[in-house]
Amino acid sequence: MSARRRIVMTSYGFRDPGGGTLLPRTIAYELVRRGWDVTVFYAGVGPGGAGRPYEVVEGEDRGVRLVGVFNRPHQLLDLGNPLREIDDPPITAAFAAVLDRVRPDVVHFHNLHNLGAALLDEAASRGIRSFYTAHNHWLGCARGYLLDREAELCPGPGRGGDCASCVGTADAAGYEHRLQELRARISRSVTALIAPSETVRRTLVSIGYPAEAVDVLSQVMPAAETIWEQLGRDRAPGRVAGPAGPLTIGFFGSVYPIKGVQLLVHAAQLCSADVRVHIHGDAGEGAFAKRLARLDRRGVVEILGAFDHDDLTRRMAAVDVSAFPSIWWENQGLVARESLAARIPVLVPRMGGLAEQARDGVDGLLFDGRDAQSLADAIDRVAGEPGLLERLQANIEAPASFGAHVDALEAYYAGQRPGRDPEPRGPRAVRWIGDHTLNTSLSIINREIGGRLAAQDGIRLQRVERSGVTADAPLPHVADVEVRHQWPPDLRPAPAGRLALIQPWEFGAIPQDWVQPIAANVDEVWVPSEHVRRMYVGSGVDAERVHVVRNGVDLERFTPEGPRLDLDAPGLRLLFVGGLVGRKGPDVLLDAYRVAFAGRDDVTLVVKDFGADGVYVRGDRDGLRAYAAAGTLPRVLLVEDELSGDDMAALYRACDVLVHPYRGEGFAMPVLEAMACGLPAVVTEGGPTDEFCPPQAGWRIRSERRIVPGGRIDQRVTAGEPWMLEPDVGHLVELLRDVVADPDERGRRGRAAAEAARALSWDAVADAYRARIDALAKRPVRSAAPVEDALELEGDAAVRVLASPAWRGEHRLGELLAAWAAGAPAGADACLHLLADSRVDGTPDELAEIVLAAAEAAGVDLEAVADVDLLVRPLAAGDDDRLLHAAVGAYVPLHAACEGHLRHARAAATTVVEPERLPGWLASCVRMTQPV
């Protein structure tokens, strides 16, 4: 007869309410039924035992051995104590004692809040395979819900420091350390992170957990099967109250603000349909219940109180449709599944794991998260669209089996990964930050690209003003990619996901104070021209991280055909569009224009000023205003009025040639807009316009580079000598005379300009941005990116081998040392590093004794072998494991808890060698430094 399989599980509470407790408890009972020896180590809720601090209380429930730690100084969340969330020593010691007593085959962490991340290392130190199920967002949020103090969605923890102010402390360093340590310990210790939804997987990956570690395994409760059998399978279609009766909407669950009950009550007031809302859950008699009552102006809401699962079927029988309007990114939503099992269509937000519980228009409807009007529209649709309710009911399928869910867990415990899927599911979530409503080039780009990306399948875009305000619905989860396009640039780390910075530059070398933040925080820099890309690369930014995505033009607005702006500008019209600042070259143009057409009245220079009240407020306009007002020949018409996009197109069409003798540009959008309107362009040679304005589409002014004196641009020290182009005024005079003299050539070049502009439609540019977003979303986030730093290990060995023995379990050190002796005798230029953690594995002296005893038992003379080094951590906070694997040539796995180190080895392209193959591998790569 085989020995009983043993498992230790952790949770917050055991017999207490809540899905994060109910599901582990139900799984524990089922594992006992299947013959497992189950121990649950849990954080006790409320007081227990004799009331001593950290008192351990043991018990038993339906065959489950219970070990609870009570009377701690913290309750559900340990806000303000980030280090205690990493390691609370009395709890860690109690857990270690349980592991030593039970000697489990596997550990399943269902929660670590109120317990501490150090429990992970206790399991790993004993070589025990372990798993972590993310029932909430505690791994990235000390509050557990990714909501801030005002219940607004948090875009992510970033490096963790901002979490301190959110929880009301000043310990930013502590919270940064908390996040680093949680990620590092999870990454190296657990076999797999089990996410109950794609939302949770994407969130974990976007905040730095290794994608290879995260699997999706939807959670299932046996109640769903019972409800299906008792109610859903044979339920009659239609409304409970009959065709002419009201639509009854049910809410089931905890009546808390984060569950969005207030949103449902508000939506009921906005509906035009005859509805009734039944709230099933304990609302109590406090302020929130009173708030709900005040919101119900129509008198259509009834709070029916708490329920237990035995009563759930009866209550669901009285409901037509269920609504679950949570205002946070729910990890899954088990009650939504139970509603479907009752053949009740569900209304769920397009955010969080709830969105994955319904097929929109098939067995439920999705609405915009945190939006009462969108929920009201969904309710009105179910109530008013003939046959919709019945179709949704008919499409509901039998629920997944709880038994199959536990089968999958047992497969994990046996070393398989049934929930592993290398490809992410669902749309990419993109947060795009910058101005979206202004009449500036940056804002125009944000608006044109944002609108097109928002309309594309497979992407969910949230456009965020620099103030933080957004008019878009919440993302389905924290961002996969954050894009920033604003001035001045924001180079701080992204709250979540990969960070792309759109940032043109015009002065040869970028500011020195951009270089390090870009290297540390920015995954890619997107620039509008190769001209700008060379500036970044020349300033020290990694060339592989700088990509060109050119700007575009609205080809429906900017066309050769269409209205022309009425201008008081006789003769041929030369046009300049831009801010009246030095780098745009208006002084160059005016000097050349006066020389070329002195005293002539058959040419007018039209100057459309831009940004006088904004980005180019410091421009010198007084002299030009005086010249234009005096009517001096050659004539200048200064246009200072704000023009709409349509009026700008009419202005281009009203003129004959665009002249833009710039000194510094990142792209020069007016040139492209003028080209699209059929105007040839006179532009500076050697700048970004060379890339989209071909010679046949205009004329190029000879120029030369000139160093900007002082090594500064607007008081910014640059990473190299700054420079600009200086157009040749004499050559511009010649070109302007040629342009005016040859109307046929102007026509030919204007037609070529319009043809060239067609390649840069906003649609094409949006596609290019989409391609970059897709490519970037596949990369590791910055906190888990390929190792760029180096970890210095002691000694000068040419070949380094790493192992992480299970010091407190079956460590296999004798086997490893025998293999080392066979492949690396004394004198070999090699070193075996034995990784240990003094916080859990023992002191260096104790570890040395273990090594000596193992060598003696294996018959290995350590004096006759190449170096063996005890590498005792803590080495450094956070990502030292990644650095460590990048510093060695091979890793030797010794036990079932090595999967995290194997992931690090694969990421670092380190060879993985089983102990029995180590001598052969060493023979192939180790050279002798001295005779044996």
PDB file of all heavy atoms in Angstrom, residues 199-227:
ATOM      1  N   THR A 199      -6.654  37.899 -16.443  1.00  0.00           N
ATOM      2  CA  THR A 199      -6.423  39.209 -15.835  1.00  0.00           C
ATOM      3  C   THR A 199      -5.307  39.155 -14.808  1.00  0.00           C
ATOM      4  O   THR A 199      -4.406  40.001 -14.787  1.00  0.00           O
ATOM      5  CB  THR A 199      -7.716  39.703 -15.156  1.00  0.00           C
ATOM      6  OG1 THR A 199      -8.616  40.145 -16.158  1.00  0.00           O
ATOM      7  CG2 THR A 199      -7.449  40.844 -14.193  1.00  0.00           C
ATOM      8  N   VAL A 200      -5.363  38.166 -13.934  1.00  0.00           N
ATOM      9  CA  VAL A 200      -4.358  38.066 -12.882  1.00  0.00           C
ATOM     10  C   VAL A 200      -3.006  37.719 -13.478  1.00  0.00           C
ATOM     11  O   VAL A 200      -1.972  38.254 -13.068  1.00  0.00           O
ATOM     12  CB  VAL A 200      -4.783  37.037 -11.824  1.00  0.00           C
ATOM     13  CG1 VAL A 200      -3.693  36.854 -10.776  1.00  0.00           C
ATOM     14  CG2 VAL A 200      -6.081  37.472 -11.160  1.00  0.00           C
ATOM     15  N   ARG A 201      -2.997  36.819 -14.468  1.00  0.00           N
ATOM     16  CA  ARG A 201      -1.714  36.501 -15.097  1.00  0.00           C
ATOM     17  C   ARG A 201      -1.080  37.752 -15.692  1.00  0.00           C
ATOM     18  O   ARG A 201       0.100  38.035 -15.466  1.00  0.00           O
ATOM     19  CB  ARG A 201      -1.894  35.451 -16.196  1.00  0.00           C
ATOM     20  CG  ARG A 201      -0.584  35.289 -16.986  1.00  0.00           C
ATOM     21  CD  ARG A 201      -0.478  34.056 -17.803  1.00  0.00           C
ATOM     22  NE  ARG A 201      -1.247  34.036 -19.004  1.00  0.00           N
ATOM     23  CZ  ARG A 201      -0.959  33.252 -20.055  1.00  0.00           C
ATOM     24  NH1 ARG A 201       0.093  32.457 -20.021  1.00  0.00           N
ATOM     25  NH2 ARG A 201      -1.713  33.246 -21.113  1.00  0.00           N
ATOM     26  N   ARG A 202      -1.865  38.513 -16.465  1.00  0.00           N
ATOM     27  CA  ARG A 202      -1.315  39.696 -17.124  1.00  0.00           C
ATOM     28  C   ARG A 202      -0.865  40.725 -16.087  1.00  0.00           C
ATOM     29  O   ARG A 202       0.143  41.422 -16.272  1.00  0.00           O
ATOM     30  CB  ARG A 202      -2.360  40.289 -18.064  1.00  0.00           C
ATOM     31  CG  ARG A 202      -2.787  39.359 -19.197  1.00  0.00           C
ATOM     32  CD  ARG A 202      -1.802  39.335 -20.335  1.00  0.00           C
ATOM     33  NE  ARG A 202      -2.006  40.459 -21.204  1.00  0.00           N
ATOM     34  CZ  ARG A 202      -2.870  40.472 -22.238  1.00  0.00           C
ATOM     35  NH1 ARG A 202      -3.593  39.390 -22.506  1.00  0.00           N
ATOM     36  NH2 ARG A 202      -2.990  41.532 -22.998  1.00  0.00           N
ATOM     37  N   THR A 203      -1.609  40.837 -14.990  1.00  0.00           N
ATOM     38  CA  THR A 203      -1.232  41.768 -13.946  1.00  0.00           C
ATOM     39  C   THR A 203       0.085  41.364 -13.299  1.00  0.00           C
ATOM     40  O   THR A 203       0.990  42.187 -13.119  1.00  0.00           O
ATOM     41  CB  THR A 203      -2.344  41.861 -12.883  1.00  0.00           C
ATOM     42  OG1 THR A 203      -3.518  42.394 -13.495  1.00  0.00           O
ATOM     43  CG2 THR A 203      -1.925  42.749 -11.720  1.00  0.00           C
ATOM     44  N   LEU A 204       0.208  40.099 -12.959  1.00  0.00           N
ATOM     45  CA  LEU A 204       1.444  39.632 -12.326  1.00  0.00           C
ATOM     46  C   LEU A 204       2.646  39.842 -13.239  1.00  0.00           C
ATOM     47  O   LEU A 204       3.706  40.306 -12.803  1.00  0.00           O
ATOM     48  CB  LEU A 204       1.309  38.155 -11.956  1.00  0.00           C
ATOM     49  CG  LEU A 204       0.360  37.845 -10.791  1.00  0.00           C
ATOM     50  CD1 LEU A 204       0.091  36.350 -10.704  1.00  0.00           C
ATOM     51  CD2 LEU A 204       0.926  38.365  -9.477  1.00  0.00           C
ATOM     52  N   VAL A 205       2.493  39.527 -14.505  1.00  0.00           N
ATOM     53  CA  VAL A 205       3.605  39.698 -15.445  1.00  0.00           C
ATOM     54  C   VAL A 205       3.935  41.182 -15.601  1.00  0.00           C
ATOM     55  O   VAL A 205       5.102  41.569 -15.671  1.00  0.00           O
ATOM     56  CB  VAL A 205       3.265  39.044 -16.796  1.00  0.00           C
ATOM     57  CG1 VAL A 205       4.312  39.393 -17.851  1.00  0.00           C
ATOM     58  CG2 VAL A 205       3.173  37.528 -16.638  1.00  0.00           C
ATOM     59  N   SER A 206       2.899  42.023 -15.634  1.00  0.00           N
ATOM     60  CA  SER A 206       3.124  43.451 -15.841  1.00  0.00           C
ATOM     61  C   SER A 206       3.765  44.132 -14.644  1.00  0.00           C
ATOM     62  O   SER A 206       4.283  45.240 -14.773  1.00  0.00           O
ATOM     63  CB  SER A 206       1.806  44.153 -16.190  1.00  0.00           C
ATOM     64  OG  SER A 206       1.394  43.823 -17.502  1.00  0.00           O
ATOM     65  N   ILE A 207       3.725  43.498 -13.472  1.00  0.00           N
ATOM     66  CA  ILE A 207       4.397  44.109 -12.321  1.00  0.00           C
ATOM     67  C   ILE A 207       5.681  43.371 -11.978  1.00  0.00           C
ATOM     68  O   ILE A 207       6.247  43.562 -10.902  1.00  0.00           O
ATOM     69  CB  ILE A 207       3.464  44.196 -11.096  1.00  0.00           C
ATOM     70  CG1 ILE A 207       2.999  42.819 -10.635  1.00  0.00           C
ATOM     71  CG2 ILE A 207       2.277  45.088 -11.398  1.00  0.00           C
ATOM     72  CD1 ILE A 207       2.143  42.866  -9.375  1.00  0.00           C
ATOM     73  N   GLY A 208       6.158  42.513 -12.910  1.00  0.00           N
ATOM     74  CA  GLY A 208       7.509  42.007 -12.793  1.00  0.00           C
ATOM     75  C   GLY A 208       7.665  40.556 -12.425  1.00  0.00           C
ATOM     76  O   GLY A 208       8.796  40.082 -12.316  1.00  0.00           O
ATOM     77  N   TYR A 209       6.593  39.813 -12.266  1.00  0.00           N
ATOM     78  CA  TYR A 209       6.732  38.388 -11.989  1.00  0.00           C
ATOM     79  C   TYR A 209       7.012  37.650 -13.296  1.00  0.00           C
ATOM     80  O   TYR A 209       6.517  38.040 -14.359  1.00  0.00           O
ATOM     81  CB  TYR A 209       5.479  37.850 -11.295  1.00  0.00           C
ATOM     82  CG  TYR A 209       5.369  38.346  -9.878  1.00  0.00           C
ATOM     83  CD1 TYR A 209       4.709  39.546  -9.588  1.00  0.00           C
ATOM     84  CD2 TYR A 209       5.968  37.663  -8.836  1.00  0.00           C
ATOM     85  CE1 TYR A 209       4.646  40.031  -8.286  1.00  0.00           C
ATOM     86  CE2 TYR A 209       5.907  38.149  -7.524  1.00  0.00           C
ATOM     87  CZ  TYR A 209       5.248  39.325  -7.266  1.00  0.00           C
ATOM     88  OH  TYR A 209       5.199  39.815  -5.980  1.00  0.00           O
ATOM     89  N   PRO A 210       7.820  36.593 -13.259  1.00  0.00           N
ATOM     90  CA  PRO A 210       8.244  35.948 -14.513  1.00  0.00           C
ATOM     91  C   PRO A 210       7.080  35.305 -15.252  1.00  0.00           C
ATOM     92  O   PRO A 210       6.333  34.491 -14.675  1.00  0.00           O
ATOM     93  CB  PRO A 210       9.266  34.903 -14.040  1.00  0.00           C
ATOM     94  CG  PRO A 210       8.970  34.682 -12.598  1.00  0.00           C
ATOM     95  CD  PRO A 210       8.427  35.967 -12.064  1.00  0.00           C
ATOM     96  N   ALA A 211       6.926  35.654 -16.521  1.00  0.00           N
ATOM     97  CA  ALA A 211       5.815  35.129 -17.308  1.00  0.00           C
ATOM     98  C   ALA A 211       5.839  33.610 -17.369  1.00  0.00           C
ATOM     99  O   ALA A 211       4.783  32.956 -17.377  1.00  0.00           O
ATOM    100  CB  ALA A 211       5.865  35.723 -18.721  1.00  0.00           C
ATOM    101  N   GLU A 212       7.024  33.033 -17.389  1.00  0.00           N
ATOM    102  CA  GLU A 212       7.152  31.589 -17.493  1.00  0.00           C
ATOM    103  C   GLU A 212       6.611  30.880 -16.255  1.00  0.00           C
ATOM    104  O   GLU A 212       6.278  29.700 -16.300  1.00  0.00           O
ATOM    105  CB  GLU A 212       8.625  31.215 -17.693  1.00  0.00           C
ATOM    106  CG  GLU A 212       8.869  29.763 -18.032  1.00  0.00           C
ATOM    107  CD  GLU A 212      10.342  29.435 -18.184  1.00  0.00           C
ATOM    108  OE1 GLU A 212      11.162  30.372 -18.189  1.00  0.00           O
ATOM    109  OE2 GLU A 212      10.672  28.251 -18.281  1.00  0.00           O
ATOM    110  N   ALA A 213       6.495  31.613 -15.157  1.00  0.00           N
ATOM    111  CA  ALA A 213       6.046  30.997 -13.905  1.00  0.00           C
ATOM    112  C   ALA A 213       4.541  31.033 -13.735  1.00  0.00           C
ATOM    113  O   ALA A 213       4.005  30.318 -12.891  1.00  0.00           O
ATOM    114  CB  ALA A 213       6.694  31.705 -12.720  1.00  0.00           C
ATOM    115  N   VAL A 214       3.839  31.872 -14.499  1.00  0.00           N
ATOM    116  CA  VAL A 214       2.431  32.137 -14.211  1.00  0.00           C
ATOM    117  C   VAL A 214       1.526  31.317 -15.130  1.00  0.00           C
ATOM    118  O   VAL A 214       1.592  31.431 -16.354  1.00  0.00           O
ATOM    119  CB  VAL A 214       2.106  33.636 -14.362  1.00  0.00           C
ATOM    120  CG1 VAL A 214       0.684  33.913 -13.879  1.00  0.00           C
ATOM    121  CG2 VAL A 214       3.104  34.484 -13.590  1.00  0.00           C
ATOM    122  N   ASP A 215       0.680  30.494 -14.520  1.00  0.00           N
ATOM    123  CA  ASP A 215      -0.309  29.688 -15.232  1.00  0.00           C
ATOM    124  C   ASP A 215      -1.698  30.206 -14.907  1.00  0.00           C
ATOM    125  O   ASP A 215      -1.921  30.834 -13.864  1.00  0.00           O
ATOM    126  CB  ASP A 215      -0.231  28.222 -14.809  1.00  0.00           C
ATOM    127  CG  ASP A 215       1.080  27.557 -15.205  1.00  0.00           C
ATOM    128  OD1 ASP A 215       1.908  28.233 -15.852  1.00  0.00           O
ATOM    129  OD2 ASP A 215       1.276  26.387 -14.858  1.00  0.00           O
ATOM    130  N   VAL A 216      -2.636  29.903 -15.791  1.00  0.00           N
ATOM    131  CA  VAL A 216      -4.030  30.282 -15.560  1.00  0.00           C
ATOM    132  C   VAL A 216      -4.837  29.019 -15.293  1.00  0.00           C
ATOM    133  O   VAL A 216      -4.879  28.106 -16.129  1.00  0.00           O
ATOM    134  CB  VAL A 216      -4.621  31.045 -16.760  1.00  0.00           C
ATOM    135  CG1 VAL A 216      -6.102  31.369 -16.516  1.00  0.00           C
ATOM    136  CG2 VAL A 216      -3.839  32.328 -17.012  1.00  0.00           C
ATOM    137  N   LEU A 217      -5.455  28.975 -14.136  1.00  0.00           N
ATOM    138  CA  LEU A 217      -6.331  27.858 -13.780  1.00  0.00           C
ATOM    139  C   LEU A 217      -7.575  28.447 -13.129  1.00  0.00           C
ATOM    140  O   LEU A 217      -7.544  28.897 -11.975  1.00  0.00           O
ATOM    141  CB  LEU A 217      -5.625  26.901 -12.812  1.00  0.00           C
ATOM    142  CG  LEU A 217      -6.391  25.613 -12.465  1.00  0.00           C
ATOM    143  CD1 LEU A 217      -6.533  24.722 -13.702  1.00  0.00           C
ATOM    144  CD2 LEU A 217      -5.678  24.864 -11.351  1.00  0.00           C
ATOM    145  N   SER A 218      -8.661  28.492 -13.886  1.00  0.00           N
ATOM    146  CA  SER A 218      -9.899  29.064 -13.363  1.00  0.00           C
ATOM    147  C   SER A 218     -10.373  28.272 -12.163  1.00  0.00           C
ATOM    148  O   SER A 218     -10.297  27.042 -12.138  1.00  0.00           O
ATOM    149  CB  SER A 218     -10.980  29.059 -14.453  1.00  0.00           C
ATOM    150  OG  SER A 218     -10.619  29.931 -15.498  1.00  0.00           O
ATOM    151  N   GLN A 219     -10.879  28.975 -11.191  1.00  0.00           N
ATOM    152  CA  GLN A 219     -11.346  28.335  -9.969  1.00  0.00           C
ATOM    153  C   GLN A 219     -12.796  27.866 -10.133  1.00  0.00           C
ATOM    154  O   GLN A 219     -13.586  28.473 -10.856  1.00  0.00           O
ATOM    155  CB  GLN A 219     -11.213  29.303  -8.797  1.00  0.00           C
ATOM    156  CG  GLN A 219      -9.768  29.680  -8.517  1.00  0.00           C
ATOM    157  CD  GLN A 219      -9.618  30.770  -7.491  1.00  0.00           C
ATOM    158  OE1 GLN A 219     -10.584  31.445  -7.145  1.00  0.00           O
ATOM    159  NE2 GLN A 219      -8.403  30.979  -7.008  1.00  0.00           N
ATOM    160  N   VAL A 220     -13.114  26.804  -9.438  1.00  0.00           N
ATOM    161  CA  VAL A 220     -14.447  26.191  -9.526  1.00  0.00           C
ATOM    162  C   VAL A 220     -14.867  25.806  -8.118  1.00  0.00           C
ATOM    163  O   VAL A 220     -14.060  25.298  -7.336  1.00  0.00           O
ATOM    164  CB  VAL A 220     -14.430  24.949 -10.438  1.00  0.00           C
ATOM    165  CG1 VAL A 220     -15.816  24.321 -10.518  1.00  0.00           C
ATOM    166  CG2 VAL A 220     -13.915  25.307 -11.833  1.00  0.00           C
ATOM    167  N   MET A 221     -16.139  26.048  -7.833  1.00  0.00           N
ATOM    168  CA  MET A 221     -16.696  25.595  -6.568  1.00  0.00           C
ATOM    169  C   MET A 221     -17.766  24.531  -6.824  1.00  0.00           C
ATOM    170  O   MET A 221     -18.498  24.607  -7.819  1.00  0.00           O
ATOM    171  CB  MET A 221     -17.328  26.765  -5.814  1.00  0.00           C
ATOM    172  CG  MET A 221     -16.320  27.716  -5.204  1.00  0.00           C
ATOM    173  SD  MET A 221     -15.423  26.968  -3.829  1.00  0.00           S
ATOM    174  CE  MET A 221     -16.737  26.828  -2.631  1.00  0.00           C
ATOM    175  N   PRO A 222     -17.888  23.523  -5.949  1.00  0.00           N
ATOM    176  CA  PRO A 222     -18.907  22.485  -6.164  1.00  0.00           C
ATOM    177  C   PRO A 222     -20.318  23.021  -6.129  1.00  0.00           C
ATOM    178  O   PRO A 222     -21.238  22.405  -6.688  1.00  0.00           O
ATOM    179  CB  PRO A 222     -18.642  21.496  -5.020  1.00  0.00           C
ATOM    180  CG  PRO A 222     -17.859  22.244  -4.002  1.00  0.00           C
ATOM    181  CD  PRO A 222     -17.062  23.255  -4.756  1.00  0.00           C
ATOM    182  N   ALA A 223     -20.537  24.198  -5.494  1.00  0.00           N
ATOM    183  CA  ALA A 223     -21.885  24.759  -5.445  1.00  0.00           C
ATOM    184  C   ALA A 223     -22.447  24.995  -6.837  1.00  0.00           C
ATOM    185  O   ALA A 223     -23.661  24.884  -7.057  1.00  0.00           O
ATOM    186  CB  ALA A 223     -21.860  26.068  -4.651  1.00  0.00           C
ATOM    187  N   ALA A 224     -21.585  25.335  -7.808  1.00  0.00           N
ATOM    188  CA  ALA A 224     -22.071  25.591  -9.166  1.00  0.00           C
ATOM    189  C   ALA A 224     -22.708  24.344  -9.760  1.00  0.00           C
ATOM    190  O   ALA A 224     -23.767  24.418 -10.412  1.00  0.00           O
ATOM    191  CB  ALA A 224     -20.922  26.085 -10.038  1.00  0.00           C
ATOM    192  N   GLU A 225     -22.115  23.202  -9.543  1.00  0.00           N
ATOM    193  CA  GLU A 225     -22.694  21.961 -10.063  1.00  0.00           C
ATOM    194  C   GLU A 225     -24.028  21.656  -9.394  1.00  0.00           C
ATOM    195  O   GLU A 225     -24.987  21.222 -10.049  1.00  0.00           O
ATOM    196  CB  GLU A 225     -21.720  20.805  -9.848  1.00  0.00           C
ATOM    197  CG  GLU A 225     -20.413  20.952 -10.611  1.00  0.00           C
ATOM    198  CD  GLU A 225     -19.419  19.878 -10.231  1.00  0.00           C
ATOM    199  OE1 GLU A 225     -19.453  18.791 -10.847  1.00  0.00           O
ATOM    200  OE2 GLU A 225     -18.611  20.126  -9.313  1.00  0.00           O
ATOM    201  N   THR A 226     -24.086  21.907  -8.097  1.00  0.00           N
ATOM    202  CA  THR A 226     -25.336  21.665  -7.377  1.00  0.00           C
ATOM    203  C   THR A 226     -26.442  22.580  -7.897  1.00  0.00           C
ATOM    204  O   THR A 226     -27.586  22.142  -8.125  1.00  0.00           O
ATOM    205  CB  THR A 226     -25.124  21.904  -5.870  1.00  0.00           C
ATOM    206  OG1 THR A 226     -24.091  21.038  -5.401  1.00  0.00           O
ATOM    207  CG2 THR A 226     -26.403  21.654  -5.095  1.00  0.00           C
ATOM    208  N   ILE A 227     -26.117  23.852  -8.074  1.00  0.00           N
ATOM    209  CA  ILE A 227     -27.101  24.811  -8.577  1.00  0.00           C
ATOM    210  C   ILE A 227     -27.565  24.417  -9.975  1.00  0.00           C
ATOM    211  O   ILE A 227     -28.757  24.523 -10.308  1.00  0.00           O
ATOM    212  CB  ILE A 227     -26.503  26.238  -8.564  1.00  0.00           C
ATOM    213  CG1 ILE A 227     -26.281  26.693  -7.120  1.00  0.00           C
ATOM    214  CG2 ILE A 227     -27.396  27.214  -9.305  1.00  0.00           C
ATOM    215  CD1 ILE A 227     -25.464  27.951  -6.990  1.00  0.00           C
TER     216      ILE A 227
END
